Amino acid sequence: SQQGEEDPQALSIQEGENATMNCSYKTSINNLQWYRQNSGRGLVHLILIRSNEREKHSGRLRVTLDTSKKSSSLLITASRAADTASYFCATDRGDDKIIFGKGTRLHILP
Amino acid sequence: DVKVTQSSRYLVKRTGEKVFLECVQDMDHENMFWYRQDPGLGLRLIYFSYDVKMKEKGDIPEGYSVSREKKERFSLILESASTNQTSMYLCASSSISGRWADTQYFGPGTRLTVL
């Protein structure tokens, strides 16, 4: 089944640096979403990018989508301590359901 | 803002007990979902409902059932809890999007421990 796989599994960076996470998937998609999960909490939607879009911005977030490579990246610029969380990509299954990857754990060091 | 609430943040039950997890959303969403989240396995879909009294099995429905008597409420039922159902349970809702899966809005999660 198609599934987003995030890379790296874990990432530690200094506060103020940029963080980049990648997601690869196996089959064609209609859209791809990124979610954030703070420790022990529910997921929060960050951004949705459709298959006909190549780049999308939201505040300090930048998402790119390369359908030819079946990959997406999430860039967080000027990271803050509050960005410490797990980040998941999710791809649609051709209906109203989505499949989540296993996530990247991001840790921002003070 | 969409609000999805779950009845408990933490729950401890005994093996064999019947367990009810409740989820309520306030945005008149048609779709509601139950996931479980386990370390190393990510989120896995248990059940999905796209309308009142309608339900569809997800990837791991065994040992679970669901109920959706009202549009805003989606309940997950563990008929006879077992230790391997110890997990974080997440409820989500979304509106019908037509061709594409839309944004899902999540509750805070219920961490269930079965002893």
Side-chain angles (χ1 to χ4, degrees), chain A residues 3-56:
Chain A
Q3 180 181 26
E5 293 283 347
E6 294 90 345
D7 172 60
Q9 289 188 347
L11 179 62
S12 292
I13 61 171
Q14 294 293 137
E15 190 168 11
E17 293 180 343
N18 296 342
T20 300
M21 288 156 271
N22 302 295
C23 171
S24 60
Y25 55 92
K26 298 175 184 174
T27 61
S28 62
I29 58 172
N30 293 307
N31 66 44
L32 185 144
Q33 302 179 46
W34 284 92
Y35 289 80
R36 184 188 74 230
Q37 183 181 35
N38 291 92
S39 181
R41 309 295 296 184
L43 278 72
V44 174
H45 178 258
L46 295 176
I47 202 161
L48 181 153
I49 187 166
R50 303 208 184 277
S51 59
N52 61 354
E53 296 174 313
R54 291 295 167 259
E55 188 170 311
K56 210 162 181 181

Side-chain angles (χ1 to χ4, degrees), chain A residues 36-98:
Chain A
R36 184 188 74 230
Q37 183 181 35
N38 291 92
S39 181
R41 309 295 296 184
L43 278 72
V44 174
H45 178 258
L46 295 176
I47 202 161
L48 181 153
I49 187 166
R50 303 208 184 277
S51 59
N52 61 354
E53 296 174 313
R54 291 295 167 259
E55 188 170 311
K56 210 162 181 181
H57 297 255
S58 176
R60 293 183 297 112
L61 306 180
R62 174 178 166 248
V63 169
T64 62
L65 179 65
D66 187 336
T67 52
S68 66
K69 295 181 179 179
K70 293 186 171 59
S71 67
S72 173
S73 67
L74 170 66
L75 168 68
I76 304 174
T77 60
S79 63
R80 305 168 182 170
D83 295 328
T84 293
S86 292
Y87 293 82
F88 297 85
C89 69
T91 52
D92 70 295
R93 295 165 66 150
D95 49 23
D96 283 311
K97 298 188 285 291
I98 56 179

